[in-house]
Amino acid sequence: MNIKVKEVKPLDNLKLDVLFTNGIRKIYDVKKAMSHYEPFKELEDNPYLFKQAKVDCGGCAVCWNDEVDVTEYELWEMGETVQTAEKISNIHFNRNGQGRMGTKITLPLSWIETMGFNENNKEACLFFDGDSISIKSKNA
């Protein structure tokens, strides 16, 4: 998975507003981590420290100090999606050598990578319900 944290904003009630590089925004509840890792209790006792949350390691984590951090994977998996990414893209129409019409659409690479697609995993399952198209990795 090639998902990174782009920015973080501490919220009330020990929650983080996390924007990922693929444009998706999630809310992560730090209280969940407190039950698994003792140093997180310091964030509950020190609201000033909690407000110092910052993106670390090129987007690999959100951290407060040398002992307290949350990885991008944890934030992604355990965060609640509050804003999905949106992009306006043109559909390209073309004709092949036999005159048959075909189409192509370009998707952001960060979305494709987040879904697990790469040069070795190219097969996608497409679902059409009459109004929208969904794409999933065949290996998912």
Side-chain angles (χ1 to χ4, degrees):
M1 184 171 82
N2 192 18
I3 187 80
K4 300 292 180 206
V5 176
K6 184 174 182 178
E7 62 185 54
V8 62
K9 283 192 271 183
L11 303 173
D12 292 335
N13 205 19
L14 296 171
K15 293 185 179 182
L16 297 173
D17 179 342
V18 183
L19 177 63
F20 293 90
T21 54
N22 62 3
I24 293 177
R25 182 176 301 278
K26 294 190 177 201
I27 301 295
Y28 178 80
D29 188 346
V30 176
K31 292 185 296 286
K32 293 177 185 176
M34 288 179 185
S35 64
H36 303 301
Y37 190 58
E38 187 65 30
F40 278 91
K41 298 278 187 200
E42 185 179 357
L43 299 175
E44 186 174 36
D45 298 337
N46 186 347
Y48 177 76
L49 177 61
F50 179 74
K51 296 290 184 188
Q52 302 304 310
K54 64 181 182 268
V55 178
D56 192 26
C57 301
C60 293
V62 168
C63 70
W64 289 270
N65 58 33
D66 290 340
E67 295 179 7
V68 184
D69 63 17
V70 182
T71 67
E72 80 278 17
Y73 180 80
E74 168 78 7
L75 294 163
W76 178 261
E77 290 295 316
M78 300 307 290
E80 180 181 328
T81 302
V82 292
Q83 175 185 327
T84 56
E86 181 177 302
K87 179 184 183 333
I88 303 297
S89 186
N90 289 321
I91 298 174
H92 302 278
F93 292 84
N94 54 11
R95 292 194 184 274
N96 67 14
Q98 287 90 28
R100 293 189 201 120
M101 183 67 74
T103 60
K104 291 184 181 180
I105 190 165
T106 302
L107 301 173
L109 183 59
S110 63
W111 295 4
I112 297 300
E113 290 173 341
T114 299
M115 294 175 67
F117 291 107
N118 57 46
E119 291 190 31
N120 297 319
N121 178 26
K122 302 178 194 181
E123 287 190 280
C125 294
L126 305 175
F127 305 92
F128 179 60
D129 67 8
D131 293 316
S132 62
I133 301 169
S134 299
I135 304 170
K136 292 188 178 192
S137 171
K138 185 175 179 185
N139 297 329

